[in-house]
Amino acid sequence: MTIISIIKKNIICVIIILAIGFHITLIYKYSTFNFINSNNNRNNLPPQHQQPSNIQHNIQHDIHQKPHYSNKQSQKQPDESPLDGQKFIYSKQKEKILKYIDYKQFGLFNGGGGNSKSSNPNDNGGIYKDLNLNELDEISSWSPNTIVDFNKRHGDDSLPSICSEIDFNDIKTCEGSNYYQATVTPTPVLDENSMNYTLKPNSKYRAKFNYYPREFSKQPLITILTAFYNIEPDIFEESAATVFGQSLQNFEWVIVNDCSPNQTLVELSLGKYRELAKSDPRIVIIDLKKNVRLPGARNAGIKVARGKYIVSLDPDDMFENTYLEKAVWFLETHKEYTLCNAWTVGFANKSYVWKNGYHNGDRNLKENQITVASVMRTQALRDVGGFDSKLIHGMEDWDLWIRMADNGHWGHTLEEYHFWYRVSPPGKWDAIDNLAKFNAFVENQQMKYKNAYGKGVPKLSRPPQEKMEAVEDLIPFENNLKKCRPRVLLLIPYMEVGGADQFNYNFAQGMVLDGWEVSIATTKTAENKWFPQFARVTPDIFIMPRFSKNTDQCRFLAYYIKSRQFDVVYVSNSEQAYHYLSYLRANAPGPAYIDYTHSETPKWKDGGYARYSFGSEKLLDRSIFASEHLRQYCIRRGHNANKTATVLIGIDSDKYVPKPENRAIIRKELGFPDNVLVIVFVARLESEKQPEVFAEVLRRVDELGYDFRAISIGGGLLFNDLNETISKNGLSEKVRLLGNIPNSQVSKYVSGSDVFFLPSKVEGISLAIYEAMSQQVCAVSAKVGGQAELVTPDVGFLVVPGTPTEVDEYTEIIADLASNLTLAKELGKKSLEKILNGFSVKDTLHKMKEEFCNSAIVTRYTTPMFTNKVFSKLSNEQAVLGHEYERAIDELLPIWNQLSALTKQLAPPPTITENEIKRKPSPYPLHKPEEVLDSINITGLRVVENIMIEKKKVDRKMKIILKDYQEQFIRRNPKFADKQLVPNEFLHQYNHGVDNWDDELPYPYQQQEYVAYIPNAFIGTGDSATIFDWDRVFLLNYSPTQQETFTMPLEESRICHVEKTKKLVSLLQKQFSFENFIIDQLPKLTLVLDEIELDPEIKILVPFSDFAKTIMVDTLKFSPDRIVYFKPGAGWDPCVVFFANTLLLPTPIPPGQPPREMISKLRDYFYQKNDIDVSGINRNVIMYASRKSTLSPLRKVSNEQKVIETIKNILQSQGEGKYEFIEWDGLETITPELVQLSSRVKMLIGMTGANLLPMIVCQPNTIVVEFMHENPWLSFWSTSESLQHENWMIPIKATSHDSLEIQVPLDQLTNTLNQIFNPEQQSSLSSNSIDNN
């Protein structure tokens, strides 16, 4: 029988088989389409540690090299990548998951929003079009160097255009007659406190922006109507310049020549525009045959107007650049309004500012408050009949406003100066100047418009934001501008006095002068008193709350980004901007999205803007930080290191220079004596700047009898509180509060002072300190953020904020400077030297542009991830939630402020009744340490429980250096594969200081970390290495249980040999096992590293053990002669007591509860000393930690071989060669080899005990699987949480900490590992299955 006949007889079976095959193929083809990151093999690890799914990811990411790529010049190529010889692995049938994306539409392959000069014309979208979401996400997590190398290996040599140096010849060609040279206006612009009326919109000194359409629109959005009559050409040219200089370019300009008799003027003024109209269809010139006067000429223009909106511009008046764009957006999004105008600047015959308008309501019925340049809905204007053509002597515009009101129309006045009104000489407007005619006009109006005069004008107000108000996606109009220069959008909260805004200004100015066009959008309601400063560098500024609804801000930004074609969107310190990111990435693709973060704020929203930065990592192409400290903080919190960079705030040292003459000037101005310390405090007066600390320090310095004078510059919520406190303390004559003053004046007061004082709770690196130091003024500030990178001990002083001794330390510093003016002067000179050596604003700009290039490289891969319908829908909902969050804050904040004020008001005064303690006189140097020790009554020593109280109440001379403050971070329950297990039942309530195992477990020992310098101290023999001197013993409690860190020294100490050292650090406290040394003692080393490295005389006291010697000498590379070994316990031969002329005592560590800051820094120190760069490490090691070589005979794993085989089998199922299995024998030490190995560990598995201590050198997010007996001992869980590991437990019943052997349940082990590697699998075990195996 032939094959064909067989097929014919079984045709139905054949069809079924083919159909099944087709469906299998189809399912396989589309199975990779997944919007959720594939975590099956990643287990929620940060991007830099995740394993790839479809990509050969053995690339060594180089996050340190950040070159400024150039398409023009030959650049040094990145290091050869291990991708050499490998191919990017695609599935056999490529997934077409991005079918909703039109790549060409967004210009994704032409430079990330710009126009690349070196695109490959044959790439047809390059490799990007063939990548699925997981692959795009994976590539975008690489360093820019690696991405560039990867692109080259796949035939794409193009780089974003912003990676090239700017070619101004190209710009000239592109801009043509619109070409301009960058200008920074010499004085503030539109500053109502000191208005410069010569800086008209067309002034050559005003900042420029190239506003020109990409193409002319067939249907104009707005008609600009100009009635022309005998206007001088130079005056008309000024008006014309502001028409063509509008940021809204979708206009038509209708010029109505009202039969001007002077044909020479007509030709001189209009001739060039008649010619221009031949190539620019936006210009329409109408020549009337008969003179119809002003209202009639306007009506003639209204008849032919094609714009949806219309605005009247007289031929001698002017608009600011962004007026029409803002007014039209307002009317488009506020349908209840018909008209919109703005504040006015009067010039020419009279100079003034005019802030009246529609908001003056019924006052407009008595006298006109509204200028003629109102943007109106054209149809409404036609419906009411246009202007009254009979009013040829003036007031035709006032008549129109009342007629609008009479017909139910009214408007809104933008709170910005946008209209320049040329004031005519007296006598031009007869009806206005003649009182009788004016009164007659008003009476006539009352007769004509009875509805308006009877009911008043319509009472309109901008509607409040509704709860969960919808966000619209449809952009109401287009305004596509031509782009010839690179552009960046600064998205910031406001423009106010402050370091962040000063940096933003310096940055914007530098970018403009380097050839970029800078735009600014602000998100938060504020006075924006620094708008006149920012207007010096760009006219393209949009304070969104003034013209846009809150829920329309993200839609406006999407419109704005598409209009300008920004290369980079730069977010800084704006909560709303972070809320908008997902919306913008979905609705405004193309530019690179980056953020710049100045500081972390641990007590505000779990890190403040730094928290927003690493939380938004997937939505950002690059995160830039103002200090390396801050960058490392964010990396520790989970930010992908490959997507981060540090760019220090630079200072314009040519602008901020020492001006010693200002010392005499400000002292004379403020009435200060010549020979007294002058302190200046510059900041927004808000809680994070701690003005109350400023006031209290001054009170104490004054109380101590030191003379000084002080200046406070800046306004804010706490201005009145500070003023009241200064007055209450009787310091009004010594302290002057200047409030908000022009920035140009701030420099005068700073350069004339001796000390810049800024006791902030939160800073990155304060720009104000940069400026002060550049002006040769020393800084006294807070040790927060990256401040220590700038204010080093040789140039100034830093104090840790939020500690019990904070005010005391500031007081002591200011008092010392007040008593020694020479010291302040010397520190000022050194401060200037430091600024001149490495803190230049030019360096900052250069590095920032490098990071812009890097971000544009990344955005080629991130943009396609967000431009799809699903993400667009989700992003809209995210925007709704963001707006609702802001609405709720605005609603609740006043209530919170009232509650706080009431709580403060009702708080009872503190009652302190303590007996004064006096120390015995020191026996030194009259007696030797041996003599003193022999005479001490050990049991009679006064016990010191709190070293801070001891300094404050008893020993004020004791030196205490404050270190980091250990915040109350959140720990998580251990994870169990058995979901039916109840944590409280196995782990037990109150075990290890945990009240309830509810998966949110605050670290219970938040405390100030310090190093106390104790002179002439003994370290006595016993079981805790207790410190004591001639009259006191330091037992030191740790809160909240008030347990003592040390025990009393033994009586036999009095007869021991005394071993003397000059300077000694003691790391010791109770217990001396390997586990106690690693968890409770060694982390304290991080508090004294600075001191140890600076002072070679300092020695370190550790337990007498082989593991301590190996760790300190072999692994941490300390010289052997710097290590001193302590023999614990009674009866040691010989009996030794140590004596130190100066003992450095770090903060105690609660046993088994290492603080996160200390132990994380210890891990980093291990890496540093062993030359390990974790950023490039491929973590694929699974380590099993045996107890074969532990000193303790307890808890040996009886079925260890089966455990190891089980682990290997599960790893094999994950893919051949994917993981490397290592068995660690549990030897109780940490060697250099173990550090190298552990840094590569992805998962650590083993019985609870010291064998798990390689975790101390495992990276964050390492998975720790701990075999745990009943009544668990939880020191290792607590340590892994402090190290930011992920802890899993396998509970083993009927065993204890003292069991000699323990059998590990293999089914539990299998189930646990399967859930870790495959998180979607649910536990199939019941709680009874713990008894198995």
Side-chain angles (χ1 to χ4, degrees):
M1 186 178 291
T2 65
I3 295 177
I4 295 176
S5 60
I6 294 173
I7 292 174
K8 287 181 178 179
K9 287 187 176 183
N10 298 276
I11 188 65
I12 295 177
C13 294
V14 171
I15 292 172
I16 292 174
I17 291 170
L18 290 174
I20 292 173
F22 173 77
H23 281 84
I24 291 173
T25 301
L26 191 65
I27 292 170
Y28 174 77
K29 182 178 180 181
Y30 288 96
S31 63
T32 59
F33 181 67
N34 187 357
F35 280 96
I36 303 171
N37 289 335
S38 178
N39 291 326
N40 296 351
N41 297 328
R42 304 186 183 193
N43 201 35
N44 297 321
L45 296 177
Q48 65 269 38
H49 303 313
Q50 294 177 355
Q51 297 298 319
S53 53
N54 297 322
I55 299 174
Q56 292 281 357
H57 188 92
N58 57 350
I59 299 172
Q60 300 295 316
H61 296 311
D62 179 5
I63 65 171
H64 297 296
Q65 288 188 336
K66 300 184 256 316
H68 189 188
Y69 304 101
S70 173
N71 289 325
K72 293 193 153 199
Q73 302 174 9
S74 175
Q75 297 286 337
K76 180 180 177 181
Q77 298 301 317
D79 295 339
E80 269 313 287
S81 166
L83 272 173
D84 219 6
Q86 299 181 17
K87 285 188 176 181
F88 185 76
I89 297 181
Y90 299 102
S91 57
K92 291 183 179 179
Q93 300 186 12
K94 295 182 173 65
E95 178 56 73
K96 307 300 182 185
I97 63 171
L98 302 175
K99 59 185 177 182
Y100 298 116
I101 306 173
D102 179 1
Y103 290 95
K104 295 293 184 181
Q105 174 185 353
F106 302 125
L108 302 182
F109 312 113
N110 290 324
N115 297 315
S116 174
K117 301 173 188 176
S118 56
S119 300
N120 184 347
N122 301 316
D123 67 3
N124 191 26
I127 62 173
Y128 317 94
K129 65 178 182 178
D130 294 316
L131 305 179
N132 64 33
L133 287 181
N134 288 334
E135 292 166 339
L136 289 166
D137 177 52
E138 177 65 28
I139 296 173
S140 66
S141 72
W142 299 347
S143 70
N145 264 358
T146 303
I147 294 175
V148 169
D149 189 55
F150 173 80
N151 290 345
K152 289 180 179 178
R153 294 173 189 276
H154 291 84
D156 183 1
D157 291 332
S158 66
L159 285 173
S161 59
I162 60 173
C163 295
S164 304
E165 294 296 330
I166 293 176
D167 188 328
F168 285 96
N169 289 324
D170 288 349
I171 292 176
K172 288 180 180 179
T173 301
C174 178
E175 292 181 344
S177 61
N178 294 315
Y179 176 77
Y180 67 88
Q181 288 188 330
T183 301
V184 175
T185 309
T187 61
V189 176
L190 298 174
D191 184 355
E192 63 183 38
N193 295 315
S194 58
M195 183 69 75
N196 186 341
Y197 294 95
T198 66
L199 293 175
K200 294 180 288 187
N202 68 320
S203 169
K204 66 179 181 180
Y205 300 109
R206 288 285 296 270
K208 305 295 190 296
F209 196 101
N210 187 23
Y211 297 118
Y212 196 76
R214 277 176 241 169
E215 58 184 17
F216 295 124
S217 174
K218 295 180 180 179
Q219 178 59 46
L221 180 63
I222 185 169
T223 298
I224 303 171
L225 174 58
T226 298
F228 178 92
Y229 187 82
N230 282 357
I231 298 296
E232 295 288 340
D234 55 338
I235 293 178
F236 186 72
E237 188 66 28
E238 289 185 334
S239 299
T242 68
V243 169
F244 292 106
Q246 284 300 297
S247 62
L248 181 59
Q249 286 284 303
N250 187 6
F251 64 79
E252 68 168 353
W253 187 20
V254 176
I255 306 170
V256 181
N257 175 22
D258 189 19
C259 198
S260 301
N262 190 332
Q263 290 303 308
T264 301
L265 284 181
V266 172
E267 179 59 28
L268 290 174
S269 295
L270 298 184
K272 67 178 289 188
Y273 297 103
R274 293 186 196 276
E275 186 64 28
L276 184 59
K278 297 176 182 178
S279 59
D280 189 337
R282 297 176 300 172
I283 303 172
V284 178
I285 299 177
I286 301 172
D287 293 296
L288 299 181
K289 303 291 186 181
K290 177 183 176 183
N291 178 256
V292 294
R293 309 296 289 268
L294 179 59
R298 288 176 179 163
N299 286 339
I302 293 170
K303 289 180 182 179
V304 302
R306 296 188 299 133
K308 181 179 179 181
Y309 300 95
I310 190 168
V311 62
S312 180
L313 175 67
D314 287 348
D316 55 351
D317 296 336
M318 291 178 283
F319 292 150
E320 286 291 325
N321 300 91
T322 58
Y323 172 45
L324 299 186
E325 193 170 12
K326 292 171 181 173
V328 168
W329 184 273
F330 178 86
L331 292 174
E332 280 286 334
T333 55
H334 295 78
K335 300 299 184 183
E336 63 274 27
Y337 289 88
T338 304
L339 311 101
C340 181
N341 75 342
W343 291 346
T344 298
V345 179
F347 71 106
N349 194 60
K350 181 182 178 182
S351 297
Y352 64 91
V353 294
W354 183 261
K355 299 171 73 171
N356 294 340
Y358 292 103
H359 55 285
N360 293 107
D362 290 342
R363 184 178 172 186
N364 281 281
L365 298 173
K366 297 179 180 180
E367 55 182 345
N368 188 18
Q369 306 294 305
I370 303 167
T371 51
V372 68
S374 289
V375 176
M376 299 172 272
R377 299 185 191 275
T378 306
Q379 189 57 50
L381 177 59
R382 287 171 174 158
D383 289 344
V384 300
F387 290 90
D388 188 339
S389 59
K390 297 176 183 178
L391 299 175
I392 61 175
H393 297 295
M395 296 194 288
E396 76 290 338
D397 52 340
W398 186 17
D399 172 79
L400 177 61
W401 313 143
I402 300 175
R403 189 162 3 110
M404 283 282 192
D406 198 62
N407 285 272
H409 301 292
W410 203 238
H412 173 75
T413 298
L414 299 173
E415 296 179 345
E416 294 179 354
Y417 295 103
H418 282 297
F419 178 51
W420 286 69
Y421 175 71
R422 189 182 300 269
V423 181
S424 301
K428 181 177 180 180
W429 302 111
D430 185 48
I432 299 174
D433 298 335
N434 187 300
L435 182 59
K437 290 183 178 180
F438 177 84
N439 290 334
F441 175 82
V442 173
E443 290 178 8
N444 187 53
Q445 296 297 93
Q446 292 173 350
M447 295 294 294
K448 286 169 61 178
Y449 306 121
K450 293 183 179 180
N451 189 39
Y453 280 94
K455 298 180 180 179
V457 303
K459 305 302 186 291
L460 301 180
S461 61
R462 297 177 69 179
Q465 181 180 333
E466 299 292 334
K467 292 182 179 179
M468 296 298 290
E469 186 172 313
V471 171
E472 295 187 40
D473 290 338
L474 181 64
I475 293 176
F477 59 86
E478 290 185 350
N479 179 37
N480 298 323
L481 302 182
K482 184 177 181 181
K483 174 172 170 247
C484 299
R485 303 174 188 237
R487 287 175 177 165
V488 58
L489 168 62
L490 273 61
L491 197 47
I492 56 179
Y494 38 59
M495 293 169 283
E496 296 287 355
V497 176
D501 288 317
Q502 180 64 64
F503 171 74
N504 290 335
Y505 172 77
N506 292 346
F507 166 64
Q509 175 180 282
M511 295 299 287
V512 165
L513 293 176
D514 280 354
W516 285 59
E517 288 187 319
V518 175
S519 300
I520 298 170
T522 70
T523 58
K524 202 171 182 65
T525 301
E527 291 187 65
N528 289 287
K529 290 192 174 182
W530 267 21
F531 167 83
Q533 283 294 117
F534 283 89
R536 294 175 60 199
V537 297
T538 178
D540 206 48
I541 301 176
F542 289 79
I543 301 171
M544 291 192 290
R546 293 182 178 172
F547 65 89
S548 174
K549 296 188 293 185
N550 287 341
T551 51
D552 257 335
Q553 285 193 14
C554 50
R555 180 165 62 142
F556 172 78
L557 288 171
Y559 151 81
Y560 193 30
I561 292 167
K562 291 179 179 180
S563 169
R564 271 62 169 180
Q565 301 181 88
F566 294 112
D567 296 281
V568 177
V569 175
Y570 165 106
V571 174
S572 185
N573 282 16
S574 171
E575 283 188 275
Q576 289 100 319
Y578 284 109
H579 294 154
Y580 303 159
L581 271 177
S582 59
Y583 182 96
L584 295 179
R585 299 239 57 173
N587 292 278
Y593 287 81
I594 72 166
D595 69 338
Y596 188 88
T597 309
H598 292 265
S599 63
E600 79 275 23
T601 317
K603 294 187 178 180
W604 180 63
K605 301 185 181 180
D606 192 31
Y609 295 116
R611 171 65 181 81
Y612 278 114
S613 181
F614 62 74
S616 304
E617 177 212 308
K618 289 292 183 183
L619 297 169
L620 292 165
D621 298 307
R622 201 92 177 133
S623 287
I624 307 173
F625 301 100
S627 68
E628 183 61 19
H629 159 88
L630 180 58
R631 176 176 172 267
Q632 292 299 332
Y633 168 85
C634 288
I635 291 172
R636 289 197 300 272
R637 294 293 302 271
H639 210 310
N640 179 358
N642 291 329
K643 297 177 74 174
T644 66
T646 298
V647 177
L648 297 176
I649 294 175
I651 188 69
D652 186 350
S653 54
D654 295 330
K655 176 181 177 182
Y656 296 98
V657 296
K659 294 184 179 179
E661 65 273 15
N662 283 340
R663 289 177 53 80
I665 292 173
I666 70 166
R667 282 162 172 75
K668 182 178 180 181
E669 175 188 328
L670 300 174
F672 290 171
D674 292 335
N675 59 341
V676 70
L677 184 80
V678 175
I679 305 157
V680 64
F681 171 49
V682 182
R684 284 192 306 273
L685 297 182
E686 297 174 355
S687 60
E688 66 180 26
K689 302 300 181 182
Q690 298 202 115
E692 72 280 3
V693 171
F694 168 72
E696 177 60 17
V697 169
L698 297 185
R699 184 192 70 78
R700 293 191 186 187
V701 173
D702 182 66
E703 192 177 70
L704 291 171
Y706 295 98
D707 200 8
F708 66 88
R709 296 295 185 273
I711 305 166
S712 171
I713 299 174
L717 296 174
L718 301 179
F719 180 87
N720 292 334
D721 290 349
L722 178 60
N723 192 24
E724 182 180 332
T725 302
I726 294 296
S727 177
K728 180 181 177 181
N729 293 340
L731 294 175
S732 298
E733 292 300 315
K734 291 189 172 184
V735 183
R736 302 296 169 83
L737 274 62
L738 304 185
N740 284 322
I741 62 174
N743 190 53
S744 57
Q745 294 295 309
V746 173
S747 181
K748 178 182 77 171
Y749 293 104
V750 172
S751 62
S753 300
D754 302 298
V755 175
F756 186 91
F757 185 24
L758 188 64
S760 309
K761 284 191 290 189
V762 177
E763 289 288 353
I765 304 180
S766 168
L767 181 61
I769 292 180
Y770 278 96
E771 294 172 359
M773 292 174 62
S774 185
Q775 295 173 94
Q776 207 164 301
V777 179
C778 75
V780 177
S781 189
K783 191 174 184 180
V784 290
Q787 299 263 79
E789 296 172 36
L790 176 66
V791 185
T792 49
D794 58 321
V795 301
F797 302 91
L798 295 179
V799 171
V800 177
T803 68
T805 62
E806 177 186 8
V807 174
D808 290 336
E809 291 184 71
Y810 279 132
T811 301
E812 185 176 342
I813 292 167
I814 298 296
D816 286 346
L817 292 170
S819 64
N820 187 355
L821 297 180
T822 303
L823 175 60
K825 189 174 181 179
E826 291 174 352
L827 292 173
K829 290 181 180 179
K830 293 179 180 179
S831 297
L832 174 59
E833 291 174 5
K834 190 174 188 70
I835 291 296
L836 295 176
N837 288 282
F839 292 91
S840 163
V841 69
K842 294 179 181 178
D843 292 335
T844 299
L845 290 171
H846 177 73
K847 292 175 183 176
M848 192 69 82
K849 284 185 284 187
E850 285 183 350
E851 296 310 327
F852 282 4
C853 169
N854 286 333
S855 65
I857 290 168
V858 176
T859 203
R860 290 180 170 186
Y861 290 94
T862 56
T863 298
M865 294 165 56
F866 305 119
T867 45
N868 56 72
K869 291 182 178 179
V870 175
F871 185 81
S872 179
K873 180 66 176 176
L874 293 173
S875 71
N876 184 287
E877 183 63 15
Q878 178 66 28
V880 171
L881 295 175
H883 288 304
E884 176 61 16
Y885 169 82
E886 294 295 333
R887 186 203 64 78
I889 285 181
D890 291 342
E891 181 177 87
L892 297 175
L893 188 59
I895 300 173
W896 172 257
N897 290 337
Q898 290 177 14
L899 176 63
S900 300
L902 189 61
T903 303
K904 183 178 179 180
Q905 182 180 346
L906 297 177
T911 55
I912 302 175
T913 55
E914 295 183 0
N915 296 325
E916 184 179 359
I917 300 173
K918 291 187 177 181
R919 295 199 64 193
K920 296 177 182 179
S922 171
Y924 305 99
L926 296 177
H927 298 279
K928 297 178 180 179
E930 295 88 349
E931 298 170 340
V932 174
L933 180 63
D934 185 56
S935 66
I936 289 175
N937 177 7
I938 296 288
T939 58
L941 292 172
R942 177 172 60 85
V943 173
V944 175
E945 296 179 339
N946 186 305
I947 209 160
M948 294 295 189
I949 294 176
E950 177 72 5
K951 173 177 174 60
K952 186 174 182 180
K953 302 274 180 79
V954 182
D955 188 2
R956 291 180 62 87
K957 293 183 179 180
M958 185 196 306
K959 179 181 178 182
I960 297 180
I961 302 296
L962 300 183
K963 302 290 183 174
D964 290 325
Y965 189 86
Q966 177 57 61
E967 300 286 352
Q968 191 178 67
F969 60 90
I970 298 299
R971 304 178 294 179
R972 301 293 179 185
N973 287 353
K975 295 183 179 182
F976 298 93
D978 182 2
K979 304 306 179 186
Q980 298 182 28
L981 184 142
V982 179
N984 276 335
E985 293 179 2
F986 180 71
L987 301 173
H988 304 302
Q989 272 185 288
Y990 312 114
N991 187 10
H992 216 67
V994 176
D995 294 336
N996 183 38
W997 294 89
D998 60 359
D999 207 35
E1000 279 204 13
L1001 313 171
Y1003 179 74
Y1005 301 105
Q1006 60 184 115
Q1007 61 180 342
Q1008 174 61 58
E1009 295 167 358
Y1010 60 81
V1011 176
Y1013 287 68
I1014 302 173
N1016 303 314
F1018 297 101
I1019 301 94
T1021 186
D1023 60 0
S1024 68
T1026 306
I1027 292 114
F1028 60 97
D1029 58 19
W1030 67 91
D1031 73 336
R1032 59 187 173 181
V1033 58
F1034 295 85
L1035 299 188
L1036 302 187
N1037 295 338
Y1038 51 87
S1039 62
T1041 56
Q1042 296 299 305
Q1043 299 177 23
E1044 293 175 342
T1045 304
F1046 302 100
T1047 59
M1048 289 294 290
L1050 300 177
E1051 279 290 343
E1052 72 173 35
S1053 298
R1054 295 174 57 247
I1055 59 172
C1056 289
H1057 167 71
V1058 177
E1059 185 171 318
K1060 302 173 188 175
T1061 58
K1062 287 185 177 181
K1063 299 174 184 177
L1064 187 65
V1065 171
S1066 177
L1067 302 181
L1068 306 178
Q1069 51 191 66
K1070 285 183 183 179
Q1071 310 301 328
F1072 299 97
S1073 69
F1074 177 57
E1075 170 189 333
N1076 294 118
F1077 179 64
I1078 296 297
I1079 295 177
D1080 303 338
Q1081 300 175 25
L1082 192 57
K1084 294 191 289 186
L1085 178 67
T1086 62
L1087 299 182
V1088 291
L1089 285 177
D1090 291 343
E1091 288 83 351
I1092 291 172
E1093 291 179 0
L1094 289 173
D1095 190 345
E1097 289 190 337
I1098 297 177
K1099 297 186 177 183
I1100 308 168
L1101 186 65
V1102 298
F1104 182 76
S1105 64
D1106 290 336
F1107 61 73
K1109 181 179 179 181
T1110 299
I1111 292 170
M1112 300 303 291
V1113 177
D1114 297 342
T1115 310
L1116 294 180
K1117 319 298 184 187
F1118 286 105
S1119 174
D1121 61 2
R1122 297 195 71 173
I1123 309 302
V1124 178
Y1125 298 99
F1126 178 86
K1127 294 182 178 180
W1132 284 94
D1133 185 19
C1135 172
V1136 175
V1137 168
F1138 293 90
F1139 174 83
N1141 296 112
T1142 301
L1143 179 75
L1144 281 67
L1145 178 61
T1147 315
I1149 293 178
Q1153 306 267 18
R1156 175 167 288 178
E1157 291 289 339
M1158 281 194 210
I1159 203 160
S1160 297
K1161 288 180 180 178
L1162 178 62
R1163 170 174 53 200
D1164 293 342
Y1165 193 60
F1166 271 111
Y1167 292 159
Q1168 175 189 335
K1169 286 297 182 180
N1170 289 274
D1171 299 323
I1172 297 175
D1173 179 5
V1174 297
S1175 63
I1177 289 179
N1178 180 21
R1179 295 171 58 207
N1180 66 341
V1181 170
I1182 307 300
M1183 177 185 285
Y1184 173 72
S1186 175
R1187 290 187 59 79
K1188 293 176 182 176
S1189 300
T1190 56
L1191 296 178
S1192 171
L1194 305 177
R1195 302 185 307 285
K1196 305 290 186 182
V1197 177
S1198 61
N1199 59 339
E1200 188 163 71
Q1201 196 55 42
K1202 289 185 178 181
V1203 167
I1204 293 173
E1205 290 173 2
T1206 300
I1207 296 171
K1208 287 183 175 179
N1209 289 337
I1210 292 174
L1211 296 183
Q1212 187 71 21
S1213 70
Q1214 298 301 308
E1216 183 69 33
K1218 186 171 186 178
Y1219 298 108
E1220 178 184 356
F1221 178 80
I1222 297 291
E1223 180 182 353
W1224 169 251
D1225 63 5
L1227 182 66
E1228 293 186 355
T1229 190
I1230 297 179
T1231 63
E1233 294 74 21
L1234 182 61
V1235 177
Q1236 292 282 350
L1237 177 62
S1238 298
S1239 68
R1240 297 170 47 220
V1241 166
K1242 180 182 180 69
M1243 183 186 300
L1244 177 65
I1245 308 171
M1247 178 62 65
T1248 185
N1251 50 297
L1252 287 179
L1253 282 174
M1255 70 169 60
I1256 192 70
V1257 282
C1258 289
Q1259 294 192 46
N1261 300 300
T1262 298
I1263 300 168
V1264 178
V1265 181
E1266 189 175 4
F1267 308 151
M1268 182 55 73
H1269 51 74
E1270 290 195 299
N1271 296 312
W1273 189 260
L1274 297 173
S1275 294
F1276 301 101
W1277 161 79
S1278 176
T1279 302
S1280 68
E1281 282 296 305
S1282 291
L1283 288 163
Q1284 296 176 280
H1285 293 160
E1286 182 178 323
N1287 186 278
W1288 288 70
M1289 281 187 184
I1290 297 179
I1292 309 174
K1293 283 190 173 181
T1295 60
S1296 73
H1297 185 268
D1298 297 324
S1299 296
L1300 289 175
E1301 289 191 338
I1302 295 179
Q1303 181 171 301
V1304 175
L1306 299 181
D1307 58 346
Q1308 287 267 359
L1309 174 62
T1310 301
N1311 194 31
T1312 299
L1313 295 182
N1314 281 335
Q1315 286 198 42
I1316 291 172
F1317 286 117
N1318 305 288
E1320 75 283 353
Q1321 293 185 8
Q1322 297 298 315
S1323 172
S1324 60
L1325 297 178
S1326 68
S1327 57
N1328 295 329
S1329 67
I1330 297 175
D1331 295 321
N1332 297 338
N1333 283 341

